[in-house]
Amino acid sequence: MKITAVETFTVDGGTHPWQFCAVRTDAGLTGYSEIGTEAILHGIEGLVRDFGERLVGRDPGPIERIYTDLYRLMWQAPYGATLVAIAGIELALWDLKGKALGVPVHALLGGPTRERQRVYWSHLASARVRHHALFGARPVRTVGDIADCAREAVAMGYTALKTNIIMPEDAPAAAAAAAAARTDRVLTTARLRQAERQIAAIRDAVGPDVDVCLDVGSSVAPPDALRLAQALEPYDLFWLEIDNQDPGALAALRAATRIPITSGETLQGPRQFLPFFQARAMDTAMIDIRYQGLAEARRVAELAAVYDLKVAPHNFNGHLCTFQSLHLTAALANVRIMEYDVDAAPWRDDLFTHAPEVAGGEMLVPQRPGWGTDLREDVARRHAWRGGAAG
């Protein structure tokens, strides 16, 4: 079997674009992956095309060799978008190998370690401030509306949820505040008080037995995050999620609060995660399989296990990303929980041959060959991304 072509698809995801890679072969098999960073669509497409042209005519079977060859080709600039593009090809090769052998990807890694994976409802209420009509949901304008979203998640069987700091009462002001937060990384008193009101309302709505997470991403620097954590300690958060490039600063935050700290979605590979693990900077390592590939993501998780840490896949995109993350969890023994966006564009299910199966807040690990779902290319072309800048 030889590779004949490597292609990409950039699809309208409603709130942000989704990107996919297809590796085609002369045996009639195609491997698919979900890739990308949402913000550099043309760059990822170009990198995948550059790498893909080098692979035409090669045997797709030796995945580790191909990954290493591409990584060393870009030895002088191996991370960032470069690694995202390499990961996209590598992930499609795993799908291809599973299909060729007639086994699920996790079986190639010694799995499964589990038949079901606990998931949490991610970005609860966040996207409904601007996109409620897309989801067929009620608008979110008050803290009470956010609490209603939390009740909806529990009614659907979810035992954990994650939200962001939402300021829905004044949408233009909220958008301006969010933009300023991304630039200055300052936690204003208004955002701090809103976070308190929001988390208090959610905790009151769901009771003490549902796990509640708050994600501030990189919008808050660790000193301000400490103010936030101290204010929210009475509400028994499952974790506070924060991204930072300084292991020492993150470790200081973790040491100063009772709230568990989750981080890592912006890191790539064990070399970048290692100093954070050595500094004891996080309680849970969040790993995005799209940013580094399956083999590297597994190496990160195994390194985390050396430090007695749990991992949690970062996953807020299409169903193929969810299936990729499920196979990763099914090859590991140190998984805490997995992210899943319930709110999505109504055509998300149409894009794939199979959708995830969720019941009681748990997702069934697929047993079909490869990832267990394929991209429907005709639907992907019909919903091609036609916007400008993304993210």
Side-chain angles (χ1 to χ4, degrees):
M1 185 164 57
K2 303 296 182 183
I3 296 172
T4 57
V6 179
E7 299 178 26
T8 58
F9 298 82
T10 301
V11 177
D12 183 359
T15 60
H16 62 281
W18 298 326
Q19 283 191 296
F20 305 92
C21 177
V23 176
R24 308 194 192 283
T25 69
D26 59 3
L29 292 175
T30 297
Y32 293 103
S33 67
E34 187 159 353
I35 63 174
T37 65
E38 295 79 55
I40 47 171
L41 306 176
H42 304 304
I44 295 298
E45 289 172 352
L47 283 166
V48 171
R49 185 167 59 250
D50 288 337
F51 290 136
E53 289 173 353
R54 292 176 172 270
L55 299 181
V56 172
R58 287 188 61 169
D59 178 359
I63 299 173
E64 190 71 24
R65 182 190 302 172
I66 291 173
Y67 186 96
T68 302
D69 286 349
L70 294 179
Y71 183 88
R72 289 178 177 167
L73 177 69
M74 292 299 296
W75 192 261
Q76 73 276 24
Y79 292 107
T82 298
L83 192 55
V84 171
I86 294 173
I89 294 172
E90 185 247 25
L91 288 164
L93 293 176
W94 283 107
D95 185 46
L96 194 58
K97 175 165 277 194
K99 289 173 177 174
L101 297 176
V103 298
V105 170
H106 61 69
L108 301 174
L109 303 176
T113 54
R114 67 200 75 236
E115 282 69 46
R116 296 179 179 274
Q117 174 60 57
R118 187 185 183 211
V119 295
Y120 62 87
W121 181 315
S122 191
H123 302 102
L124 181 106
S126 302
R128 293 189 184 185
V129 175
R130 290 193 302 160
H131 301 288
H132 63 91
L134 177 69
F135 309 138
R138 291 170 45 206
V140 172
R141 296 194 178 98
T142 68
V143 169
D145 294 333
I146 298 172
D148 286 342
C149 291
R151 294 187 186 95
E152 178 184 344
V154 173
M156 289 179 62
Y158 288 88
T159 60
L161 59 89
K162 184 175 80 177
T163 189
N164 312 93
I165 302 176
I166 304 170
M167 303 180 71
E169 289 87 348
D170 186 343
R182 285 194 296 269
T183 301
D184 301 326
R185 302 178 69 212
V186 172
L187 180 70
T188 64
T189 300
R191 290 186 77 215
L192 174 62
R193 298 304 171 222
Q194 173 63 15
E196 287 185 274
R197 289 191 293 269
Q198 179 180 336
I199 297 301
I202 290 175
R203 177 55 74 201
D204 182 64
V206 302
D209 297 326
V210 172
D211 290 321
V212 177
C213 308
L214 179 65
D215 180 4
V216 298
S218 59
S219 68
V220 178
D224 276 353
L226 178 57
R227 293 175 57 219
L228 177 64
Q230 289 172 338
L232 298 180
E233 282 182 350
Y235 303 106
D236 190 26
L237 288 183
F238 189 65
W239 74 45
L240 174 64
E241 187 175 333
I242 175 172
D243 296 304
N244 191 267
Q245 296 179 339
D246 182 352
L250 205 58
L253 169 64
R254 177 175 179 255
T257 178
R258 298 195 305 272
I259 298 177
I261 299 299
T262 292
S263 190
E265 71 178 58
T266 62
L267 303 177
Q268 295 176 298
R271 286 188 180 91
Q272 290 192 354
F273 274 90
L274 179 59
F276 288 84
F277 294 165
Q278 291 173 325
R280 310 288 177 176
M282 59 184 74
D283 296 280
T284 301
M286 181 159 283
I287 306 172
D288 195 315
I289 194 171
R290 297 172 307 144
Y291 297 165
Q292 50 224 298
L294 177 61
E296 283 288 270
R298 190 185 189 191
R299 282 190 274 269
V300 170
E302 290 171 341
L303 182 63
V306 172
Y307 289 86
D308 207 19
L309 292 172
K310 301 291 187 183
V311 300
H314 181 235
N315 167 54
F316 68 104
N317 292 285
H319 289 327
L320 188 49
C321 186
T322 296
F323 277 65
Q324 291 169 176
S325 300
L326 275 174
H327 283 272
L328 174 63
T329 69
L332 301 173
N334 59 325
V335 180
R336 186 174 300 281
I337 198 168
M338 193 179 101
E339 182 172 20
Y340 180 59
D341 265 7
V342 179
D343 287 335
W347 55 87
R348 181 170 66 171
D349 285 358
D350 299 335
L351 278 165
F352 307 94
T353 56
H354 297 85
E357 299 177 53
V358 186
E362 294 183 325
M363 192 172 286
L364 192 66
V365 172
Q367 300 300 326
R368 292 176 294 274
W371 296 126
T373 192
D374 282 340
L375 179 71
R376 287 186 166 130
E377 295 186 14
D378 58 333
V379 182
R381 292 188 180 95
R382 192 159 62 246
H383 290 282
W385 175 258
R386 306 189 191 285

